[in-house]
Amino acid sequence: MEMETEVSGEKQIVVLLIGPPGSGKSTFCDSVMKSSHRPWSRICQDIINNGKAGNKAQCLKMATESLKQGKSVFIDRCNLDREQRSEFIKLQLLGGGPHVQVHAVVLELSAQVCISRSVKRSGHEGNLQGGRAAAVVNKMLRSKELPKLTEGFSRILFCYNDADVENAVKTYTTLAPMDTLPSGSFGLKNPDTRSTQPGIMNFFKKVTAVPASSSIEATTPKAHENTEDVLPVSPSKLGSVVPTTLAFPSISTADFQFDIDKASDIIVETAEEFLPKLGSARLVLVDLSHGSKILSLVKAKASLKNIDSARFFTFVGDITKLHSQGGLRCNVIANAANWRLKPGGGGVNASIFKAAGPDLEAATRARANTLVPGKAVVVPLPSTCPLHNAQGITHVIHVLGPNMNPNRPDCLNNDYTKGCKILREAYTSLFEGFLSTVEDQSKLPKRNNQATASDSERNKKYKGTQDMAIASNMKSGTVDDARDGGKKRSKGWSSWALALHVIAMHPEKHENVVLESSDDIVVINDQYPKARKHVLVVARQENVDGLEDVGRENIKLVEEMHNVGMKWVKRFQDEDASLIFRLGYHSVPSMRQLHLHVISQDFESDHLKNKKHWNSFTTSFFRDSVDVLEEVKSQGRANVESEAVLKGELRCNRCRSAHPTISKLKSHIRSCSSHFPHHLLQTSRLLARPGTSN
DNA sequence: GTTCTAGAAC
DNA sequence: GTTCTAGAAC
């Protein structure tokens, strides 16, 4: 049976418009239908019932009928959440059959625009008066879920402004009846973590270049165009210059040796939970170091959860100099305190007490003497305090987290069930404390007797457990750290991870695989090449197993690896000038012994089988050799990306469109001829012969 | 890193 | 039934 002959070969489509009232759905449909050569039917829930609003069932029924008549269909209703969309996606089965594709066109215009349009419109009909329209739009946006290909769409197109909408109209208007559009997800802003981390990105651009007076706008991402910031529509606060901001260090992960992966989950989850309660206030996780693992983990996990990066982000800098050095205005900072609430120790606690001077100690003493793990105490700073007048900090919130370090009080001996509970409690207390300062500022003059300070009875209890903990430590001896998932470090590497190491130590025993060797490096073909050309330049030096082990002392080595890699690129391109390459390292390698990937960008290989493979070469997890070299020279080490990004979406390495499965992705990249993303075309990250299309 | 496999998802 | 994912073993 030839299916194709049943219906004249026309490719029908169902297009779901997705957007709140006033986003321009009906206008979109009208514009396309006005000059399209394809038969369309617009299913509009607002008028389906003889010009009056109808329901979903009526829309479905009419859509099915239109499809049977051979028309393509616009579903003109809000379709904001997944559930609302699901039945329309099934139309491809009910109505037409396999030749019907379902598309989404997402109208992500700013809430203000939608509100003002729907106010104007409803003004005419006398339906929704101004304030009510705003409330309706806001309410709807709160339940919004962006569509994903996995829901069953074959194509998704995101529009953020009038120009995007105009392009989309053109795309559908010019689509002839026999044509189809490429599948995939297009135009989604902010797809990778790079663009969601204003703090870090600004810092990398050299903070010194940011004027100290820079307002918050300068350090906030632009990506929040997309409506999450509609809540503070109450215009009362919109005028204020800087949203209230809490800067906080990661609790318990430094001296207290708490597992950073677990900690990052807890940070992201509690932040996500609190953001809605905080109005327009912001939460900023701060760390002193560039290569901070906790920052990159949190950043990646927050990005995966689509948390508004304008209101929760990470920042590299000194927490006591955020304004003067980092250009970031914060009015409240958290301190990773000790249980005695005393200066000293090291790290954040020492530097905050030092920067604040005796004022902080006195103000702290007035509120509490000690602190129980999991609790926080809010301390207002007098205006005489240097942190207050130089950095604009009005409150310090001391927090005590759980401790996993046997040399510190109250060690939990790796009891992470308890540890996680306490850490969660600690962040909750911290954010509640911050919330109380936010409320104070907007209402009452002062007064926070929040239940965060400790009472004397709990202190006694705490001292008891602490003594016991110390005693039990003496018996139990050393801590066996189960960090790193047991894969490496503590005990050593699994046997399969040693293959490169073995070759690097004795290249002469592996002549059959070694392509080239010197005192410093060996070059081999990757045993499971992920592209047409894929070789590894392996360092021979022992104990440099990954990017994280590379320091200034290895600059010569990294340079040589780069040069050898470049030589192989030249050799391959002499054979085939159309090959395009990148040279780079995996942020967290699976195999021991530092190795540079020299890989062509076709990714034409049966060995490329899963998400991890793909993302390890095409996301920020892949650190270009040129950048690594520059970072090691300038800051003594290379930045590394968290493994969390490996679980992210599958995106084309050229056009960045997203695809639901590896096989769909692979069929897309076989034919995608878009230019490579802009950042790859800079500083020779991408190596192509002149005249090649890149 | 790969391979194998169970079972979830389609 | 087939495809895809995630986890365990190596």
Side-chain angles (χ1 to χ4, degrees), chain A residues 422-641:
Chain A
I422 296 177
L423 189 62
R424 199 173 290 274
E425 213 187 322
Y427 280 108
T428 305
S429 306
L430 167 61
F431 295 151
E432 266 166 8
F434 175 51
L435 185 59
S436 75
T437 70
V438 175
E439 286 166 351
D440 280 355
Q441 280 176 5
S442 55
K443 295 178 216 151
L444 321 160
K446 237 171 229 170
R447 176 118 246 163
N448 40 35
N449 45 2
Q450 215 63 15
T452 46
S454 52
D455 61 37
S456 59
E457 200 179 327
R458 267 184 300 185
N459 286 340
K460 276 181 212 153
K461 224 165 148 192
Y462 169 55
K463 280 182 104 179
T465 58
Q466 177 202 337
D467 292 340
M468 276 160 57
I470 290 169
S472 68
N473 279 340
M474 302 209 299
K475 271 180 265 169
S476 67
T478 57
V479 172
D480 143 54
D481 67 334
R483 276 168 280 168
D484 259 336
K487 192 166 61 180
K488 41 198 146 159
R489 293 291 142 84
S490 50
K491 288 261 168 56
W493 298 70
S494 311
S495 59
W496 53 260
L498 294 173
L500 299 179
H501 177 74
V502 168
I503 295 172
M505 293 304 117
H506 298 287
E508 73 284 356
K509 291 185 189 166
H510 300 86
E511 280 171 352
N512 49 338
V513 291
V514 170
L515 303 174
E516 173 188 353
S517 72
S518 72
D519 289 347
D520 305 314
I521 55 98
V522 294
V523 180
I524 58 173
N525 271 311
D526 192 298
Q527 202 190 344
Y528 300 94
K530 303 297 185 293
R532 286 168 61 194
K533 296 293 174 192
H534 184 184
V535 300
L536 305 178
V537 181
V538 185
R540 294 194 57 196
Q541 187 179 323
E542 208 163 359
N543 294 323
V544 185
D545 289 331
L547 272 192
E548 288 171 277
D549 302 320
V550 173
R552 286 216 165 78
E553 66 280 10
N554 309 112
I555 289 177
K556 274 262 137 44
L557 172 66
V558 177
E559 272 174 344
E560 177 170 359
M561 291 170 74
H562 181 85
N563 293 338
V564 171
M566 291 294 282
K567 202 175 74 189
W568 281 86
V569 169
K570 179 178 182 310
R571 191 172 293 181
F572 289 136
Q573 289 180 336
D574 284 345
E575 276 172 37
D576 180 349
S578 71
L579 291 171
I580 297 171
F581 284 87
R582 276 175 84 185
L583 303 186
Y585 301 85
H586 283 158
S587 286
V588 185
S590 299
M591 305 196 78
R592 179 171 176 186
Q593 211 65 24
L594 184 68
H595 53 282
L596 174 70
H597 291 269
V598 177
I599 184 165
S600 60
Q601 296 298 293
D602 45 80
F603 296 107
E604 214 180 286
S605 163
D606 290 341
H607 296 294
L608 199 156
K609 291 177 173 162
N610 59 42
K611 189 176 254 195
K612 185 175 180 182
H613 291 154
W614 176 258
N615 283 340
S616 74
F617 289 103
T618 58
T619 65
S620 47
F621 187 83
F622 188 82
R623 300 299 335 279
D624 289 282
S625 176
V626 280
D627 295 327
V628 166
L629 205 49
E630 192 277 321
E631 287 159 8
V632 175
K633 283 179 182 169
S634 66
Q635 61 192 28
R637 60 159 104 172
N639 301 321
V640 292
E641 181 59 271

Side-chain angles (χ1 to χ4, degrees), chain A residues 189-242:
Chain A
K189 269 195 195 171
N190 218 356
D192 67 19
T193 46
R194 257 165 214 287
S195 45
T196 65
Q197 286 310 312
I200 287 181
M201 293 322 286
N202 270 355
F203 196 85
F204 286 167
K205 282 181 208 142
K206 290 286 169 260
V207 170
T208 44
V210 178
S213 63
S214 65
S215 78
I216 202 61
E217 273 23 274
T219 53
T220 332
K222 294 180 140 213
H224 67 283
E225 286 274 27
N226 49 3
T227 70
E228 260 81 8
D229 59 332
V230 291
L231 287 177
V233 152
S234 56
S236 52
K237 276 212 168 162
L238 282 180
S240 65
V241 204
V242 179

Side-chain angles (χ1 to χ4, degrees), chain A residues 74-91:
Chain A
F74 282 119
I75 307 296
D76 179 3
R77 59 202 292 283
C78 295
N79 297 313
L80 286 173
D81 65 64
R82 189 187 174 119
E83 203 190 323
Q84 287 290 330
R85 296 188 286 264
S86 62
E87 289 178 69
F88 291 94
I89 292 168
K90 289 183 199 142
L91 281 172

